[in-house]
Amino acid sequence: MDSSDIRDRFSHFRVLIIGRANAGKTTILQRVCNTRKKPEIYNSSGKKISASVLIPSRNVRRTCGMHDIENEMVFRHSPGFVFHDSCGFEAGGNSEFDKVEAFIRGRSKKTNLKDRIHAIWYCIPMDEASRAFTQGEIKFFSQCDTGSVPVIVVFTKFDALYDVEYAQLRKTGESREGAKELAPKRAEESFANGPQLKFLYNSKDIPHPPKCHVCLPNMNSDDANCGPLIDCTAGALGDDEVLKQLLVSSQQTNLELCMKYAVERQLSRISFEYCRR
């Protein structure tokens, strides 16, 4: 199917985004959709509702009570995406986890592809003091079977680790300029061999690991790059060419991915025609 045919039939790439409070979820979605504006919110009946449901309350449990995971978030600047938001398991405990699990199970069984969720982005911030997984996160990856829906872990606020490495480099006598230059690479190397990824991918206590992960620093910057998230999501879709085309046609921030996918499709067609001969 051509991209135009897929867009006519399915119209949206649907993502469930999960994460604790202040994980930077809204910022990530804004960067993906290349906008600074807030999303428009629609309920399950398609009626537009107030965006105030996204405003955090001092009483987190009260906020989650008003929050409905079935609500759809759409950014005018990038209407090819539909997002669903979970307000985090640490706020609602077992009740919120059960809602998310039921939502994933229900959406996975939808007859029409356009009504299913196509990917899950699980945001985990790296600016926390301990940077350890919460019990809610552990519960999700140990108990929630998402079936064919790929889960991509998004380590947000990753630049917080730059500060950690900067401080360590300064202690060893590195100059300010040198420490600033070396810190990002050191942070990436330390994280790649650190306990978080070992726990996610190599722990016997995690029977449902994510398909992949991505580290996103400096998302508040004007030149923030969410391209790696789109690229990682496309890879996690495996051999599902329809969803890949739907994702590529939905996003507007990753020109490189569009070109890469176009080349791959053309090479695939050439190979197919050659084999037929």
Side-chain angles (χ1 to χ4, degrees):
M1 297 174 63
D2 291 332
S3 296
S4 58
D5 295 332
I6 290 174
R7 175 60 59 203
D8 289 340
R9 289 188 60 183
F10 304 118
S11 71
H12 298 99
F13 188 86
R14 194 178 296 271
V15 177
L16 169 63
I17 187 165
I18 306 175
R20 52 180 109 153
N22 300 315
K25 292 182 291 182
T26 301
T27 301
I28 295 297
L29 300 187
Q30 288 173 326
R31 294 297 172 271
V32 167
C33 295
N34 196 26
T35 183
R36 290 276 187 179
K37 295 183 178 180
K38 297 293 184 181
E40 295 179 342
I41 314 297
Y42 298 87
N43 63 20
S44 56
S45 300
K47 182 180 179 181
K48 188 176 180 179
I49 59 179
S50 173
S52 62
V53 295
L54 294 181
I55 300 175
S57 167
R58 291 182 180 179
N59 187 334
V60 179
R61 288 187 180 275
R62 180 174 177 272
T63 302
C64 286
M66 296 186 299
H67 182 93
D68 188 346
I69 195 172
E70 290 287 350
N71 289 341
E72 298 182 350
M73 299 190 296
V74 180
F75 292 87
R76 280 191 177 185
H77 194 76
S78 190
F81 282 107
V82 168
F83 300 105
H84 296 267
D85 178 29
S86 166
C87 62
F89 304 140
E90 80 279 6
N94 291 331
S95 175
E96 185 63 23
F97 176 84
D98 292 342
K99 289 178 183 177
V100 170
E101 190 174 39
F103 175 80
I104 295 172
R105 184 168 57 250
R107 285 282 177 171
S108 299
K109 295 178 180 178
K110 292 288 185 180
T111 302
N112 292 327
L113 180 64
K114 68 180 182 64
D115 296 322
R116 301 176 192 169
I117 51 170
H118 306 129
I120 298 171
W121 294 345
Y122 203 122
C123 297
I124 301 176
M126 288 288 100
D127 64 339
E128 301 292 333
S130 62
R131 299 185 178 86
F133 291 106
T134 65
Q135 288 301 311
E137 291 156 359
I138 294 173
K139 184 174 183 178
F140 179 85
F141 292 107
S142 61
Q143 298 185 26
C144 191
D145 184 359
T146 64
S148 61
V149 183
V151 179
I152 296 89
V153 168
V154 186
F155 291 104
T156 63
K157 305 182 181 182
F158 193 75
D159 46 297
L161 298 187
Y162 296 175
D163 297 334
V164 175
E165 294 298 331
Y166 176 88
Q168 292 294 329
L169 287 164
R170 289 287 288 151
K171 286 182 179 179
T172 62
E174 189 67 54
S175 67
R176 292 181 179 179
E177 292 77 10
K180 185 177 181 180
E181 181 180 351
L182 293 171
K185 185 177 180 180
R186 285 278 294 268
E188 292 169 4
E189 291 174 349
S190 297
F191 186 74
N193 298 304
Q196 290 94 344
L197 297 187
K198 289 180 181 178
F199 178 78
L200 271 181
Y201 295 112
N202 300 314
S203 173
K204 63 180 181 181
D205 297 323
I206 303 297
H208 307 296
K211 283 286 185 180
C212 57
H213 69 277
V214 62
C215 303
L216 297 182
N218 303 313
M219 284 294 104
N220 288 318
S221 302
D222 291 334
D223 59 348
N225 179 22
C226 267
L229 174 56
I230 299 298
D231 200 10
C232 187
T233 303
L237 294 172
D239 296 329
D240 196 325
E241 293 299 317
V242 171
L243 284 184
K244 280 187 177 181
Q245 289 186 56
L246 186 59
L247 172 63
V248 171
S249 63
S250 296
Q251 64 85 38
Q252 301 179 10
T253 59
N254 195 341
L255 180 60
E256 183 180 350
L257 176 63
C258 293
M259 296 173 64
K260 173 185 174 183
Y261 187 74
V263 170
E264 288 179 351
R265 285 193 65 204
Q266 187 61 28
L267 290 175
S268 178
R269 286 177 178 176
I270 293 173
S271 177
F272 177 74
E273 290 298 327
Y274 180 81
C275 290
R276 288 181 62 184
R277 293 174 186 176

